[in-house]
Amino acid sequence: MAGKASTPRVAALVGPYMGGKTTLLESILNAAGATHRQGTIKDKSTVGDASPEARDRDMSVEVNVASCTWLDEPWTFLDCPGSNEFAQETVGPVLVADVAVVVVDPEPERAVMVAPVLKLLDDHDIPHMVFINKVDHHSVDVRAALEALQAHSARPLVLREVPIQEGEDVIGYIDLVSERAYKYQPGQASDLIKIPDNAKEIEEVARQELLESLADFNDDLMEKVLEDVVPPREEIYADLARDLEDDKIVPVFFGSADKNEGVRRLLKALRHEVPGHEQAAMRLGVDLESAAGKPLATVFKTVHAAHAGMLSYVRVWSGAIKDGMTLKTACEPASGGKVTGLFTLFGGETRKSDTVEAGGVAALGRLDAVPTGALIGEAPPKDAAHPWPRPLPPLFALALRPAKQGDDVKLSGALQDLALEDPSLSVAHDEDTGELLLWGQGDIHLQVALARLARVYHVEVATTQPQVPYKETIRGSTQVQGRHKRQTGGHGQFGDVHVRIKPLPRGEGFAFKDSITGGVVPRQYIPAVEQGVRDSLQRGPLGFPVVDVAVELFDGSYHVVDSSEAAFKTAGQIAMREGLPQCDPLLLEPMLTVEVNVPNEYTSKAQRALSSRRGQILGFDRREGWENWDTVTACVPQAEMHDLIVELRSVTMGVGTFHWRFERLQDVQGRTADEVVEKRKVALATA
């Protein structure tokens, strides 16, 4: 059976952490003859995970791109990180891929780890297969793994093969369409063998299930199945290819990437059943007919290479992109520029090229300000329907400051570049605390970003846990005088004010009232008094900004010669400094509404985690659009939120997550308040 396409095709390797995606990429490249030997993660010789950040942690931290040829057909594989801390790295690759291969561990209890990536693929109608890896381990039950995975898939999972077992070892497989049996041979193609007698019944049952699954989408096949008519193999293969292309079924294969077992069978299925790039272009709303062969491509990843500068990873949909060509986006305002360097990619290696044809993947140099997700071309259509998901919301933050004095500008520019590379990173300046915050998906995510900051941009930073933006308010009222008088020769300084201070309802902020009569405080000095009052609210008696306070200026006096705006501003500050401590100060802490999303088997653990952080559980419900997931809603002090994502992942096999929003300021009293105020005093004393 001939391959489905002669133009380059793209497969994204996705799945949970430790599933074996990088090892599968090594096995594929070795089977295709693209490498002379199969590298291993242990000896740090893999094509993928070539960056120092990945090798230092023995895990993928960014998408790895590698191309090869299998049976004279060009393929590009996009190996995506499995950790949810780097989930943003999966989004772009799967959207531009023709197919995703979901690489999973065979242990049924780990099936929940694949739920987020299956949901991503199902939501975007991306054709995908499952490769159950590590079946060389003892006591592997492929059927049990399949059933566990099905609980997290909106599409039916369909076994394409069944294992041949010898004792507890999987030694080969039976193809359910061709009804042929094969025995694995280390590093080679499998040997064709006779179907073992003890496997015939299993094969017949599994084949019938395969046909019934396909018949759900084909009435003619349904008639044959009901009438016990054996359909021709060619018809079954055609149905498999069509249903995969339409994302109606999920074919399931198995093997051992480490031992190169089952990998050639997977490659054969990719070759025969995966659609060409036209289908992916259509899914993204790219009108190839209107393009009429002119160059069009989507930027799915942006990186900053140490020697090549900024590179845009693209999937080409139409025409051919050549080095030196001028490309622009359909954005307003348009961005882009002349392609200065065109490269194909092989892990950490960039290979100079002159052109990339439709269907291919390449890295383009110096396309300034082109955002990830942009459609680019010589004249890209303005009305291109080209949806791109929003970046993942921030979950974890660190406060940064440059280790070297004077590196502030350099740090700012480097952080902007990092956020361009990885949209799930964001930089913010907290107006309340004055800190520069780097937000991301978790501690490891940020540590990798900071390692890149040092290696690529040569900027070292010191990090701390972000401060909590506490506020303070008052519960009582007072009336106080602020008098500022100084004589230093020549003109002196004189300002005298009487103010009333009282609390406002929560959330009202600040109010200033001028009740001066008879000109005891001249009109030109009243704004200065208000400014002095406002300045005093920046740090109250407890050491924090003061909110929800009303101040009324009702009396005062002035000197014809010595009074000035500066003097009355100081008088206002003196009045507040003396008056606020008399008004029963009260500490306020920010409260957040937190929506925690977890598989329902972990709901009780999520509730305990929130309660242990002084959280008030508001309720839980089924997570909308997710099977077997719950959303737990709680009100949690911001002071308790810093490492919530770390704990959630530790009790949910890495898949728990949350969204948050500011809700209100709430009173803090007792021991908790005393500890916060004491720490603030120490911090201010040592600042």
Side-chain angles (χ1 to χ4, degrees):
M1 185 177 177
K4 289 207 49 154
S6 57
T7 57
R9 283 178 287 175
V10 173
L13 306 182
V14 300
Y17 173 58
M18 296 294 289
K21 298 176 295 299
T22 299
T23 302
L24 178 60
L25 176 62
E26 285 298 311
S27 186
I28 288 171
L29 295 176
N30 188 246
T35 59
H36 298 298
R37 61 183 293 272
Q38 186 169 326
T40 65
I41 294 173
K42 183 178 180 180
D43 62 17
K44 304 185 187 302
S45 59
T46 55
V47 171
D49 294 350
S51 72
E53 292 77 32
R55 295 207 162 154
D56 286 348
R57 293 164 178 80
D58 290 332
M59 66 184 294
S60 299
V61 299
E62 59 201 348
V63 62
N64 293 283
V65 183
S67 298
C68 64
T69 299
W70 171 253
L71 298 181
D72 298 323
E73 292 186 354
W75 279 90
T76 296
F77 292 91
L78 310 175
D79 175 23
C80 304
S83 168
N84 282 323
E85 297 209 20
F86 301 96
Q88 189 71 46
E89 288 289 306
T90 298
V91 176
V94 299
L95 289 178
V96 301
D98 302 312
V99 69
V101 179
V102 186
V103 186
V104 299
D105 190 286
E107 298 297 330
E109 59 269 21
R110 292 171 63 86
V112 68
M113 299 173 67
V114 81
V117 72
L118 285 178
K119 187 66 166 61
L120 173 67
L121 298 172
D122 289 337
D123 285 351
H124 292 280
D125 299 321
I126 298 166
H128 51 289
M129 302 174 169
V130 168
F131 183 77
I132 301 175
N133 194 21
K134 305 180 183 180
V135 298
D136 54 318
H137 294 190
H138 290 315
S139 304
V140 167
D141 187 338
V142 171
R143 176 69 67 177
L146 180 72
E147 291 175 356
L149 290 167
Q150 184 64 73
H152 304 287
S153 173
R155 310 286 190 266
L157 304 184
V158 179
L159 269 179
R160 290 293 310 277
E161 52 189 355
V162 292
I164 298 174
Q165 291 189 280
E166 194 172 88
E168 292 186 334
D169 296 330
V170 176
I171 64 166
Y173 65 92
I174 304 172
D175 185 283
L176 294 178
V177 180
S178 67
E179 295 188 285
R180 292 176 177 174
Y182 297 86
K183 184 176 182 180
Y184 295 136
Q185 294 296 326
Q188 302 176 35
S190 301
D191 282 346
L192 179 65
I193 62 172
K194 180 183 177 181
I195 297 178
D197 292 338
N198 61 358
K200 286 183 178 179
E201 184 177 348
I202 296 173
E203 184 271 335
E204 290 172 359
V205 172
R207 190 173 196 272
Q208 186 66 20
E209 291 175 349
L210 167 65
L211 294 177
E212 290 174 356
S213 294
L214 295 176
D216 287 339
F217 308 105
N218 185 326
D219 292 340
D220 290 339
L221 181 58
M222 177 65 77
E223 289 183 16
K224 291 176 182 176
V225 170
L226 293 175
E227 296 172 2
D228 291 327
V229 175
V230 178
R233 291 176 184 171
E234 291 73 15
E235 182 179 338
I236 301 174
Y237 281 125
D239 277 353
L240 284 165
R242 182 171 55 252
D243 291 347
L244 174 67
E245 179 175 331
D246 295 340
D247 191 33
K248 292 178 178 177
I249 64 167
V250 182
V252 178
F253 301 87
F254 57 82
S256 170
D258 189 47
K259 293 185 177 179
N260 216 324
E261 295 174 350
V263 174
R264 287 174 174 80
R265 177 68 192 91
L266 175 66
L267 284 169
K268 183 179 178 182
L270 290 173
R271 179 173 184 260
H272 290 310
E273 296 165 27
V274 171
H277 70 279
E278 297 86 357
Q279 184 74 11
M282 186 186 307
R283 194 172 62 241
L284 282 174
V286 180
D287 188 349
L288 295 182
E289 185 175 345
S290 297
K294 296 179 181 178
L296 275 182
T298 293
V299 177
F300 68 89
K301 170 70 177 172
T302 304
V303 302
H304 188 283
H307 302 295
M310 199 66 75
L311 295 176
S312 299
Y313 289 8
V314 301
R315 178 87 195 271
V316 181
W317 306 120
S318 173
I321 292 180
K322 300 179 180 180
D323 195 6
M325 180 178 283
T326 297
L327 302 174
K328 57 185 178 181
T329 69
C331 306
E332 294 291 349
S335 56
K338 183 178 180 180
V339 177
T340 307
L342 189 154
F343 308 91
T344 57
L345 303 158
F346 197 74
E349 179 184 347
T350 54
R351 299 173 175 176
K352 189 74 174 173
S353 182
D354 295 324
T355 184
V356 56
E357 303 287 342
V361 170
L364 310 181
R366 306 294 175 84
L367 294 182
D368 294 335
V370 173
T372 300
L375 185 67
I376 60 173
E378 288 184 307
K382 294 288 184 183
D383 58 347
H386 208 57
W388 205 257
R390 291 182 177 181
L392 297 173
L395 301 173
F396 186 90
L398 289 173
L400 310 182
R401 57 178 176 82
K404 287 184 181 180
Q405 194 171 11
D407 269 1
D408 300 77
V409 174
K410 190 176 180 182
L411 173 62
S412 178
L415 290 174
Q416 288 180 7
D417 283 351
L418 285 179
L420 181 63
E421 291 186 46
D422 181 354
S424 65
L425 287 171
S426 58
V427 183
H429 186 272
D430 192 305
E431 294 183 359
D432 291 315
T433 65
E435 293 178 313
L436 179 67
L437 301 181
L438 179 62
W439 283 92
Q441 301 304 300
D443 184 50
I444 297 175
H445 185 213
L446 294 193
Q447 294 303 327
V448 167
L450 296 180
R452 281 187 55 78
L453 191 67
R455 178 175 64 87
V456 179
Y457 299 92
H458 310 292
V459 180
E460 300 282 351
V461 297
T463 65
T464 56
Q465 182 176 326
Q467 298 177 39
V468 177
Y470 290 103
K471 301 288 193 299
E472 58 182 276
T473 190
I474 56 175
R475 287 174 286 193
S477 302
T478 192
Q479 181 173 304
V480 68
Q481 178 184 15
R483 183 180 176 87
H484 175 60
K485 182 178 181 181
R486 179 176 298 175
Q487 194 70 41
T488 57
H491 287 302
Q493 298 181 42
F494 182 84
D496 177 36
V497 298
H498 294 254
V499 299
R500 295 187 184 98
I501 306 171
K502 64 179 182 179
L504 285 175
R506 192 64 47 79
E508 291 293 317
F510 170 69
F512 181 82
K513 183 178 180 181
D514 167 21
S515 298
I516 292 297
T517 59
V520 292
V521 176
R523 309 307 304 171
Q524 67 266 29
Y525 298 143
I526 291 176
V529 177
E530 181 179 353
Q531 187 60 54
V533 170
R534 287 182 179 275
D535 290 348
S536 298
L537 298 180
Q538 298 303 307
R539 183 188 298 177
L542 304 181
F544 298 97
V546 185
V547 296
D548 302 333
V549 171
V551 176
E552 179 186 4
L553 173 63
F554 68 91
D555 200 0
S557 61
Y558 72 101
H559 189 278
V560 176
V561 176
D562 292 342
S563 287
S564 65
E565 290 184 357
F568 272 95
K569 179 179 178 181
T570 303
Q573 293 171 339
I574 293 172
M576 296 301 292
R577 190 161 57 243
E578 294 181 3
L580 285 174
Q582 303 173 22
C583 295
D584 195 9
L586 175 67
L587 184 68
L588 301 175
E589 68 176 341
M591 301 294 293
L592 309 181
T593 293
V594 183
E595 295 180 349
V596 173
N597 299 309
V598 294
N600 53 24
E601 61 193 283
Y602 300 117
T603 299
S604 60
K605 291 184 177 180
Q607 290 174 323
R608 284 196 293 271
L610 293 167
S611 296
S612 69
R613 295 167 180 267
R614 297 191 287 132
Q616 178 188 0
I617 306 298
L618 303 177
F620 73 94
D621 203 349
R622 293 180 58 183
R623 186 180 185 185
E624 186 176 353
W626 289 66
E627 289 292 328
N628 305 312
W629 279 61
D630 286 337
T631 297
V632 180
T633 305
C635 194
V636 185
Q638 185 174 334
E640 304 287 346
M641 288 291 296
H642 174 65
D643 61 350
L644 175 61
I645 188 59
V646 177
E647 182 177 2
L648 270 181
R649 287 178 177 146
S650 72
V651 299
T652 63
M653 299 195 75
V655 298
T657 187
F658 63 85
H659 298 269
W660 60 271
R661 65 180 182 273
F662 174 78
E663 182 65 29
R664 65 179 185 273
L665 291 171
Q666 180 169 290
D667 304 358
V668 192
Q669 302 184 52
R671 183 175 178 180
T672 301
D674 293 342
E675 290 176 352
V676 170
V677 172
E678 185 59 33
K679 287 182 180 178
R680 181 66 169 177
K681 288 180 179 177
V682 172
L684 292 174
T686 57

